[in-house]
Amino acid sequence: MSQVPCYTIINSPDLEVPNEMQLKQDLEKGDTNHKIETLKKVIKLLLNGERYPGLIMTIIRFVLPVQDHTIKKLLLIFWEIVPKTSGDGKLLQEMILVCDAYRKDLQHPNEFLRGSTLRFLCKLKEPELLEPLMPAIRACLDHRHSYVRRNAVLAIFTIYKNFDWLVPDGPELIANFLDTQQDMSCKRNAFLMLLHADQERALNYLASCIDQVHSFGDILQLVIVELIYKVCHANPAERSRFIRCIYNLLNSSSNAVRYESAGTLITLSLAPTAIKAAASCYIELIVKESDNNVKLIVLDRLIAMKENENMEKVMQDLVMDVLRVLAAPDIEVRRKALALAMDLVYSRNIGEMVLVLKKEVAKTHNVEHEDTGKYRQLLVRTLHTCSIKFPDVAATVIPVLVEFLSDTNELAAADVLIFIREAIQKFPALSGLIIEHLIEAFPQIKSSKIHRAAVWILGEYVEGPQIIEVIDAIQQTLGDVPMVEAEQRRLSGDPTEEQSQQQGSATGGVSGDGSSSTTTSTSNAINKVTSDGTYATQSAYSLAPVAKVEKRPPLRQYLMDGDFFIGAALSATLTKLALRYVELQPDSSAQNRLTTRVMLIMSSILHLGKSGFPSKPITNDDTDRIFICLRTLSERTPEAVSVFMHYCREALGKMLDAQHDEDQRVLKEKQRATAKVQPDDPVLFAQLSNGRDNQLGENVFESSLNQALAGTKTAQLSDISSPNNKLNKVTQLTGFSDPVYAEAYVNVNQYDIVLDVLIVNQTNDTLQNCTLELATLGDLKLVERPHPVVLAPHDFCNIKANVKVSSTENGIIFGNIVYDTALNTNVVVLNTIHIDIMDYIIPASCTDTEFRQMWQDFEWENKVTVNTSFTDLHEYLRHLLKSTNMKCLTPEKALSGQCGFMAANMYAKSIFGENALANLSIEKPVDDPDSKVTGHIRIRAKSQGMALSLGDKISSSQKQSVQAA
């Protein structure tokens, strides 16, 4: 069965179907406006699958002679979609009259009518209609108006492509036309035809005017770039002839031409000058183009270039140019630019890059923008990577980054501390500089989380005389000790020590006769004078009480707010400092003095937690930790001392080593493995015909075709086209004993689902109006209603239906087949087709911080209980990852070993940009090897559908594994 051409679909679900007689009357007797509305209605009905064979003659008689331009345009659509053949495949007699009408339109004095008619002829597939019109079409090539001429070229092009015997001299005709033309749109269409119909003539024309290419219009330049690309790939010897032309087009005034030229240049030549010219052109496009989508697309091209080792070496010198992209306001563009620059930077230009990043950091100060915080965090991470990758610049980066500790953006400050922790562990020579800057910034920190991490770093790495300095800084940010007494004095209105110090510094001291209090009371007295000079009076009862905001030192404020975790961390740090001081200080009295001071601070925190002053009391965990610290300082047993002095730092070293190993493993996975061909490998003929031995770059036409066929999955073209792959996706819709057998091949391709339904007539009767009726559940939408067909006895046909997908949810397609026989109308109900969510989910990775943040933000959670026949924890995890397409974020080292319990985080993204998080918590008794895995999986997503669909998928995969067992 021949395929019906695809047309523009005009969806009108609420359109009521009028009878044919009513439509005929409206077309015969109505005025022009009425005819226009009726014609629109007829077109919509035809597109929705209705059939009105009796209307054709009515339209020829009463509508075709009308000269109104709107009717002329609507008629072009009508004649395009109306069936032009009878049931036996022969052309309808009425179409001869239509053909004569269009011959007259091709000779009409109005250029719009001529041009639109020529465009319509491009869509005709019936040579019987086109043959009488050929002289008129040829005559349009000499029309005075360019609109007619360029559409005449397109008409000849499509006719030559489909029915070359109608215009055998087409290429020669268009080549002569091209030589005489001045209009760019006409030249472009003519050159496009020569490109596809007769490349030799196109090359001869290009060679004759190759020096004037830069002066051509952008539409013609784009076609020239395409010609050069195809010719050079087919015949590499032609490269030297046209590559200079491509170089010239890199300076075109059109951004589209420059983009295409740069892409063509790097596929034709891998010379350093070509790579540098193309990369520079891409960077200029990113900087000058205002559209963020264009910036991201071109950045992706640069990143793809960087993946090639030969290109990467040349692009390393362009790092400073890449950093110009940071002027763009969009955070995604900046993120990609920084990642690209970080991959390209090397020892010669790292210093310049750090200077640029410092300037960018300075620009973000005092700038209020929704993405400023994210950008600062991005800069911190980039500087962190620079310092670890090139330790020589760490000393200049650290002072810049420490300023972020007082930042209100907690994420940026946390990233700084992660960097400082890694730098101080890996570069011991910088520890003095880091500690000095950290002590300076300590009082300005505004977040308890940041204070907690800073306190840990200070306690772990401070040595020698800086120990006393750190303890003084901690006590200064903690306030008076004991804290309960200080809070009681504050509550009763007596000045605390810090308030007394502030007053003393403000007044320059207190005189002996108590004049300080007089000065204070006098300064508080305010005389109120009205505009006419008289004194104003005010009743004390009318004054509203002003709530006095108590300002406490930062660490004390955290404790008063009920955050005693910082108190436990502070106690551990003070214990480390005291133990280190005892090792360094031989004088026992000095040892005892410092230890007593530290123990007083800890006991004061405990007392404050139990006193009732804070908004929340201290937790039992924090109490136990502080008691352990007090006991360690009082008893100083060797085991406890070694835990505080050595094991903490060793644990950090092991964690950083594990992170480094994981990063190296990911890096190796990203690196493209070199192709190794063994002597006994089978010969793949696809490789022989791919033209790879000519040392040209990747053929983008072939790769784009592969990508279109493969969809979202990374699959080989041979796998996609293999029959086994298709058979796996065939769904049986009816039984073998039904009068009509149907099965569907479900082809999922990103946002579209194509159902290729095979319908077989298993009866001895002819089935009239055999219609496939479909409906959907979920975020699926049927694009068009399939057309009815007529099936002869034991005949079959294929019907295609398109379904649009808008989100990652499990969808269901159901329906029935309706057909008429000589006696009655019958219905066959179809099985439901379940659309698998796994076709839209791809594994992805993110940092632990991003995972926690998303876990906190996402509001939809689905908890799935583990019910499986697996007896091994690792096997169950592998089964889960395979069945859900998720990626395990927990490192392999953290999961190794057998302890009877496993916890792992998993992450995936959909092609619609939705995130899916999962946390796996499973266990099994260690002493019983045959026991089954138990536990649960918690799924979180931003949308309810994503969370429920993923949970359903996990449950169904578990049922399958249980049934298989």
Side-chain angles (χ1 to χ4, degrees):
M1 179 179 173
S2 62
Q3 289 288 330
V4 179
C6 178
Y7 304 110
T8 306
I9 293 164
I10 306 169
N11 188 23
S12 50
D14 301 328
L15 188 67
E16 59 181 47
V17 182
N19 60 31
E20 192 169 344
M21 288 303 298
Q22 181 63 44
L23 291 172
K24 282 185 177 181
Q25 286 180 4
D26 292 342
L27 290 171
E28 286 178 19
K29 300 177 181 177
D31 59 3
T32 302
N33 290 333
H34 206 111
K35 287 181 178 180
I36 288 172
E37 291 304 317
T38 309
L39 202 51
K40 285 181 179 178
K41 197 179 294 184
V42 170
I43 289 170
K44 289 179 181 178
L45 290 168
L46 285 173
L47 286 170
N48 279 337
E50 303 295 336
R51 289 289 176 266
Y52 297 107
L55 281 181
I56 294 180
M57 205 61 213
T58 305
I59 289 176
I60 290 173
R61 288 175 59 199
F62 298 101
V63 184
L64 199 57
V66 179
Q67 293 299 313
D68 184 78
H69 282 196
T70 307
I71 287 183
K72 290 283 186 186
K73 283 198 289 186
L74 290 172
L75 281 173
L76 292 176
I77 300 173
F78 175 78
W79 294 123
E80 181 184 348
I81 64 174
V82 75
K84 303 172 190 64
T85 54
S86 58
D88 57 0
K90 292 183 179 178
L91 193 70
L92 294 173
Q93 295 296 320
E94 295 92 333
M95 296 310 295
I96 297 172
L97 299 172
V98 178
C99 182
D100 186 62
Y102 281 116
R103 187 180 55 78
K104 292 176 181 175
D105 281 346
L106 287 175
Q107 296 168 348
H108 200 282
N110 185 295
E111 60 269 7
F112 168 74
L113 281 181
R114 280 204 189 194
S116 54
T117 306
L118 286 164
R119 293 188 68 171
F120 158 71
L121 295 179
C122 294
K123 301 173 185 177
L124 281 186
K125 303 296 182 189
E126 291 78 20
E128 300 94 331
L129 289 175
L130 291 169
E131 191 172 8
L133 301 176
M134 287 313 301
I137 295 172
R138 284 170 172 265
C140 288
L141 286 175
D142 300 323
H143 194 271
R144 59 181 175 78
H145 202 283
S146 61
Y147 178 70
V148 177
R149 295 199 304 273
R150 68 169 177 258
N151 283 306
V153 173
L154 282 182
I156 290 175
F157 176 27
T158 50
I159 292 168
Y160 181 81
K161 188 166 62 174
N162 297 324
F163 318 105
D164 55 352
W165 50 272
L166 285 177
V167 52
D169 60 338
E172 183 182 354
L173 180 69
I174 296 301
N176 296 333
F177 171 82
L178 185 59
D179 290 334
T180 60
Q181 280 304 306
Q182 297 300 321
D183 183 77
M184 279 302 158
S185 59
C186 296
K187 292 176 84 167
R188 179 255 181 196
N189 288 358
F191 194 80
L192 186 66
M193 175 179 171
L194 292 181
L195 165 64
H196 292 282
D198 192 343
Q199 277 194 6
E200 191 60 38
R201 291 181 188 273
L203 284 175
N204 292 338
Y205 174 76
L206 179 58
S208 66
C209 60
I210 199 162
D211 294 330
Q212 289 88 39
V213 167
H214 64 276
S215 62
F216 289 169
D218 55 348
I219 54 174
L220 182 55
Q221 287 177 342
L222 283 171
V223 184
I224 289 173
V225 171
E226 184 184 349
L227 170 71
I228 294 174
Y229 181 85
K230 286 187 173 181
V231 168
C232 292
H233 258 281
N235 185 8
E238 297 281 355
R239 277 185 297 176
S240 57
R241 184 178 172 192
F242 295 112
I243 204 159
R244 181 172 294 279
C245 179
I246 293 291
Y247 270 111
N248 292 337
L249 289 175
L250 287 177
N251 301 317
S252 170
S253 57
S254 166
N255 287 345
V257 175
R258 298 177 69 192
Y259 176 77
E260 293 295 337
S261 302
T264 302
L265 183 60
I266 55 176
T267 59
L268 299 184
S269 172
L270 291 179
T273 50
I275 295 168
K276 194 167 184 177
S280 301
C281 180
Y282 279 145
I283 294 168
E284 284 294 324
L285 284 175
I286 299 169
V287 173
K288 292 182 179 178
E289 184 60 47
S290 57
D291 189 345
N292 285 329
N293 292 321
V294 175
K295 290 177 186 282
L296 290 170
I297 290 168
V298 182
L299 266 172
D300 285 337
R301 292 291 298 161
L302 279 172
I303 293 167
M305 284 177 65
K306 185 256 308 175
E307 299 298 326
N308 186 311
E309 291 181 8
N310 297 326
M311 295 187 187
E312 186 178 11
K313 291 175 183 175
V314 179
M315 291 174 68
Q316 284 179 342
D317 294 329
L318 298 173
V319 170
M320 301 311 294
D321 292 326
V322 171
L323 291 175
R324 290 165 56 200
V325 179
L326 296 179
D330 185 67
I331 189 69
E332 281 302 318
V333 174
R334 288 170 162 177
R335 181 179 283 114
K336 283 196 173 184
L338 283 173
L340 177 62
M342 199 62 244
D343 289 338
L344 293 176
V345 73
Y346 65 118
S347 54
R348 288 187 186 177
N349 50 20
I350 182 65
E352 297 175 21
M353 179 172 169
V354 168
L355 286 175
V356 172
L357 294 178
K358 283 182 181 178
K359 288 179 183 176
E360 289 296 316
V361 168
K363 287 179 189 175
T364 60
H365 289 298
N366 304 321
V367 175
E368 291 299 327
H369 190 268
E370 58 179 350
D371 288 333
T372 302
K374 292 180 183 176
Y375 184 44
R376 287 166 75 84
Q377 189 181 0
L378 209 55
L379 290 171
V380 168
R381 289 183 180 177
T382 308
L383 286 168
H384 173 185
T385 314
C386 287
S387 302
I388 300 303
K389 199 173 177 181
F390 304 97
D392 296 341
V393 299
T396 60
V397 168
I398 287 165
V400 178
L401 291 185
V402 169
E403 293 178 10
F404 278 92
L405 291 178
S406 58
D407 199 86
T408 52
N409 182 9
E410 189 177 287
L411 293 173
D415 283 339
V416 171
L417 282 175
I418 290 171
F419 159 65
I420 287 175
R421 184 184 67 186
E422 187 172 354
I424 205 170
Q425 173 76 9
K426 289 189 174 180
F427 313 129
L430 297 174
S431 60
L433 175 70
I434 294 172
I435 295 296
E436 183 184 338
H437 282 90
L438 199 53
I439 293 173
E440 284 178 13
F442 192 76
Q444 279 80 42
I445 297 174
K446 297 181 176 66
S447 163
S448 91
K449 183 180 176 183
I450 306 306
H451 252 131
R452 199 166 65 231
V455 157
W456 187 91
I457 292 172
L458 288 172
E460 196 61 54
Y461 293 98
V462 168
E463 294 178 354
Q466 286 181 317
I467 292 176
I468 302 293
E469 193 179 345
V470 170
I471 294 177
D472 289 341
I474 289 173
Q475 190 151 4
Q476 181 188 349
T477 51
L478 198 58
D480 295 347
V481 179
M483 286 181 272
V484 174
E485 285 79 352
E487 288 301 319
Q488 285 174 339
R489 286 199 301 274
R490 187 186 294 272
L491 203 61
S492 62
D494 296 337
T496 58
E497 287 183 23
E498 62 257 22
Q499 286 173 339
S500 303
Q501 290 172 1
Q502 288 170 5
Q503 286 182 5
S505 61
T507 58
V510 181
S511 58
D513 57 353
S515 59
S516 170
S517 60
T518 311
T519 309
T520 308
S521 61
T522 311
S523 64
N524 287 334
I526 300 172
N527 291 329
K528 297 190 177 180
V529 183
T530 59
S531 57
D532 59 354
T534 59
Y535 288 104
T537 59
Q538 188 174 17
S539 170
Y541 296 107
S542 65
L543 285 172
V546 179
K548 193 175 181 183
V549 179
E550 296 286 351
K551 188 170 183 182
R552 298 183 177 91
L555 290 180
R556 172 87 62 84
Q557 188 61 52
Y558 303 147
L559 297 174
M560 292 301 292
D561 292 338
D563 182 6
F564 280 93
F565 187 27
I566 181 75
L570 204 58
S571 302
T573 294
L574 291 171
T575 304
K576 291 176 189 175
L577 293 174
L579 292 173
R580 203 168 290 125
Y581 185 79
V582 166
E583 280 188 355
L584 297 172
Q585 178 60 258
D587 186 9
S588 58
S589 60
Q591 292 177 8
N592 293 335
R593 195 180 305 115
L594 185 83
T595 307
T596 309
R597 180 182 174 189
V598 165
M599 293 175 78
L600 175 63
I601 293 174
M602 295 187 214
S603 56
S604 177
I605 293 172
L606 275 175
H607 190 195
L608 181 68
K610 307 273 187 185
S611 66
F613 282 114
S615 57
K616 287 184 280 187
I618 189 170
T619 62
N620 292 334
D621 287 345
D622 296 331
T623 304
D624 291 344
R625 287 191 68 190
I626 296 174
F627 271 129
I628 289 170
C629 294
L630 287 168
R631 188 171 178 180
T632 302
L633 283 176
S634 59
E635 296 179 1
R636 297 181 194 168
T637 56
E639 294 85 359
V641 169
S642 62
V643 168
F644 278 96
M645 297 289 287
H646 307 295
Y647 291 169
C648 290
R649 196 177 300 189
E650 285 178 12
L652 173 65
K654 288 178 182 176
M655 186 190 80
L656 292 176
D657 290 343
Q659 279 183 0
H660 182 262
D661 293 343
E662 181 69 15
D663 292 342
Q664 290 298 316
R665 186 182 66 80
V666 172
L667 198 64
K668 283 181 181 176
E669 286 179 1
K670 283 185 179 178
Q671 286 175 348
R672 199 161 37 186
T674 55
K676 293 179 181 178
V677 181
Q678 302 298 335
D680 56 345
D681 281 353
V683 176
L684 298 178
F685 289 97
Q687 282 185 339
L688 295 178
S689 62
N690 202 21
R692 298 293 295 169
D693 52 353
N694 56 20
Q695 297 183 347
L696 289 183
E698 178 190 18
N699 190 329
V700 290
F701 291 111
E702 287 294 326
S703 60
S704 61
L705 175 64
N706 291 5
Q707 190 178 3
L709 287 172
T712 57
K713 304 293 176 68
T714 54
Q716 297 293 328
L717 188 58
S718 57
D719 297 337
I720 296 300
S721 57
S722 67
N724 293 333
N725 190 323
K726 287 191 174 184
L727 290 174
N728 291 334
K729 294 189 176 182
V730 170
T731 305
Q732 187 176 337
L733 300 180
T734 63
F736 291 114
S737 59
D738 285 319
V740 175
Y741 173 75
E743 64 182 26
Y745 166 57
V746 184
N747 183 19
V748 178
N749 185 17
Q750 292 201 347
Y751 305 104
D752 298 310
I753 299 173
V754 179
L755 298 180
D756 191 352
V757 184
L758 170 69
I759 297 178
V760 181
N761 179 8
Q762 301 193 106
T763 67
N764 295 320
D765 301 324
T766 299
L767 306 184
Q768 300 285 341
N769 289 329
C770 184
T771 308
L772 176 67
E773 296 182 347
L774 296 174
T776 59
L777 278 180
D779 274 346
L780 303 176
K781 188 175 181 183
L782 194 66
V783 175
E784 60 179 325
R785 194 172 75 183
H787 296 296
V789 294
V790 178
L791 282 178
H794 301 288
D795 193 8
F796 67 90
C797 70
N798 284 73
I799 297 178
K800 290 192 176 180
N802 289 298
V803 178
K804 284 284 181 188
V805 189
S806 55
S807 72
T808 314
E809 288 187 26
N810 283 333
I812 296 175
I813 302 173
F814 59 94
N816 49 50
I817 293 175
V818 183
Y819 60 91
D820 297 334
T821 60
L823 301 174
N824 56 4
T825 300
N826 300 287
V827 178
V828 178
V829 180
L830 305 178
N831 287 337
T832 55
I833 302 173
H834 293 268
I835 303 303
D836 194 355
I837 183 180
M838 291 303 103
D839 289 317
Y840 307 113
I841 288 184
I842 50 177
S845 58
C846 64
T847 64
D848 290 344
T849 311
E850 290 168 344
F851 185 90
R852 290 194 195 98
Q853 187 65 39
M854 286 190 285
W855 189 268
Q856 184 180 340
D857 294 343
F858 292 170
E859 53 192 18
W860 291 102
E861 179 172 315
N862 187 9
K863 191 172 181 180
V864 181
T865 304
V866 173
N867 177 23
T868 181
S869 58
F870 283 98
T871 57
D872 184 80
L873 300 177
H874 292 85
E875 280 185 18
Y876 181 76
L877 175 62
R878 283 193 289 271
H879 164 74
L880 190 65
L881 295 175
K882 184 179 179 181
S883 60
T884 59
N885 272 4
M886 300 189 89
K887 181 178 180 181
C888 183
L889 300 180
T890 309
E892 192 68 35
K893 283 193 175 181
L895 298 172
S896 59
Q898 294 288 349
C899 63
F901 179 81
M902 178 185 284
N905 291 333
M906 296 174 289
Y907 177 56
K909 288 187 82 168
S910 75
I911 61 171
F912 306 102
E914 299 168 305
N915 298 302
L917 312 175
N919 173 257
L920 172 72
S921 297
I922 50 177
E923 61 182 346
K924 63 163 284 184
V926 182
D927 52 354
D928 185 4
D930 296 328
S931 62
K932 295 177 181 177
V933 173
T934 59
H936 59 265
I937 304 153
R938 293 168 66 195
I939 303 161
R940 284 204 181 180
K942 202 165 189 177
S943 63
Q944 182 185 20
M946 181 82 163
L948 292 175
S949 300
L950 206 52
D952 292 343
K953 180 64 182 175
I954 292 172
S955 300
S956 64
S957 68
Q958 288 188 150
K959 286 178 185 175
Q960 290 171 3
S961 66
V962 170
Q963 289 169 1

